[in-house]
Amino acid sequence: MKSVIQLSIFPLGMINSFVIMGTKKHILVDSGVPGSEEKILSQLKSYGIDKKDIGLIIITHGHIDHFGSAAELKQQLGVPVLMHDLDAVALRTGKSMAETLKPNKRYWNILKWKLIRDKATSCEPDIILEGDCSYDLHEWGVNGKVIHTPGHTPGSLSIMLADGNAIITDLASSGILLGGTMLYSRMKHPPFHDDVLTLKKSIEKVLVEKADKFYLGHGGPVSRDNLMYYSARFL
């Protein structure tokens, strides 16, 4: 079985969550929009994954399409939630980090106001990373680590696996519209970034890790060459 399984929150890769397969426990990465918990649990079952075998939830950043069902899944799975301190306010309040929502195109202001208004059930993160962190995942039987990759939000996280796979969610996106739908390797900005110069440094940071396949929150997955093109062309 693959080390990373992509789960569909919205069809055709428009919004994704992921499962990292471990030898002790599996790790759920992101929880979709509010109300996604049953959709995620159903997809786990379809892949033959018992919910009792999930040992950790990682929330990559403080936008509601990524943490929206974290509280419900934390309760149903009975597992800790990991998040970076700089984005933890989103989980604690149930509100997207409005101050970092800087649209990359004017038309994304429509989505911005929706994200500001929407609210998820709040909860407390159990494992809080700070600073330029690196968090080892061996406890769950996963040969990989979580690293701090700011730019999309101040506390954005990425997961780098030793087998060459990486989950970088909204450092980039691909496809058309929100992401996905078609043309999966066509690189583009996601709707929002906190700071583009910081983002470029984070892209360079994940490229140093030698990964060759990058899973995205919207669209993807994309190759190393795709991501290098994005860095050179758009950042």
Side-chain angles (χ1 to χ4, degrees):
M1 183 176 284
K2 298 188 297 183
S3 65
V4 177
I5 297 174
Q6 182 169 303
L7 305 179
S8 179
I9 304 302
F10 282 7
L12 303 173
M14 286 190 286
I15 298 180
N16 304 314
S17 293
F18 307 93
V19 176
I20 301 172
M21 303 300 290
T23 57
K24 298 177 182 177
K25 290 284 187 177
H26 311 314
I27 298 171
L28 177 65
V29 179
D30 285 344
S31 64
V33 297
S36 298
E37 61 273 12
E38 294 306 323
K39 183 179 293 186
I40 288 172
L41 293 173
S42 175
Q43 289 181 73
L44 292 179
K45 186 176 181 180
S46 73
Y47 282 105
I49 300 171
D50 193 316
K51 66 180 183 180
K52 294 179 180 178
D53 291 330
I54 302 294
L56 176 69
I57 299 170
I58 296 174
I59 299 298
T60 60
H61 63 280
H63 290 161
I64 202 167
D65 53 327
H66 294 263
F67 72 82
S69 299
E72 289 79 8
L73 286 164
K74 175 182 177 178
Q75 181 179 33
Q76 291 197 44
L77 299 174
V79 301
V81 175
L82 180 151
M83 198 170 187
H84 197 282
D85 178 61
L86 292 176
D87 281 22
V89 63
L91 196 60
R92 290 172 175 142
T93 62
K95 300 281 288 181
S96 286
M97 299 178 67
E99 70 276 10
T100 69
L101 290 174
K102 300 172 184 175
N104 289 311
K105 298 288 185 180
R106 292 181 64 183
Y107 53 75
W108 287 125
N109 277 303
I110 298 171
L111 180 59
K112 174 180 176 177
W113 294 118
K114 176 172 171 51
L115 290 174
I116 290 172
R117 291 194 306 269
D118 287 351
K119 194 173 191 301
T121 304
S122 61
C123 69
E124 181 68 23
D126 304 281
I127 303 172
I128 300 173
L129 307 187
E130 297 181 349
D132 188 19
C133 59
S134 178
Y135 184 86
D136 198 313
L137 296 172
H138 279 86
E139 179 178 347
W140 290 272
V142 172
N143 190 5
K145 61 185 178 180
V146 182
I147 61 173
H148 183 213
T149 50
H152 181 65
T153 66
S156 287
L157 298 171
S158 296
I159 300 98
M160 314 302 298
L161 302 177
D163 66 359
N165 288 304
I167 300 173
I168 63 172
T169 62
D170 288 10
L171 294 189
S173 67
S174 73
I176 62 174
L177 301 176
L178 183 61
T181 310
M182 61 179 65
L183 303 176
Y184 293 105
S185 64
R186 176 186 173 189
M187 300 301 299
K188 56 183 280 187
H189 288 300
F192 311 100
H193 284 316
D194 175 52
D195 184 88
V196 172
L197 291 179
T198 303
L199 178 80
K200 183 174 178 63
K201 292 179 181 178
S202 289
I203 295 288
E204 292 169 353
K205 183 177 182 178
V206 300
L207 287 169
V208 165
E209 296 286 337
K210 307 299 183 183
D212 52 30
K213 188 174 185 179
F214 299 87
Y215 289 87
L216 309 176
H218 309 284
V222 297
S223 70
R224 184 179 183 84
D225 285 345
N226 292 147
L227 191 61
M228 290 177 68
Y229 173 82
Y230 172 72
S231 180
R233 175 67 176 80
F234 297 113
L235 299 177

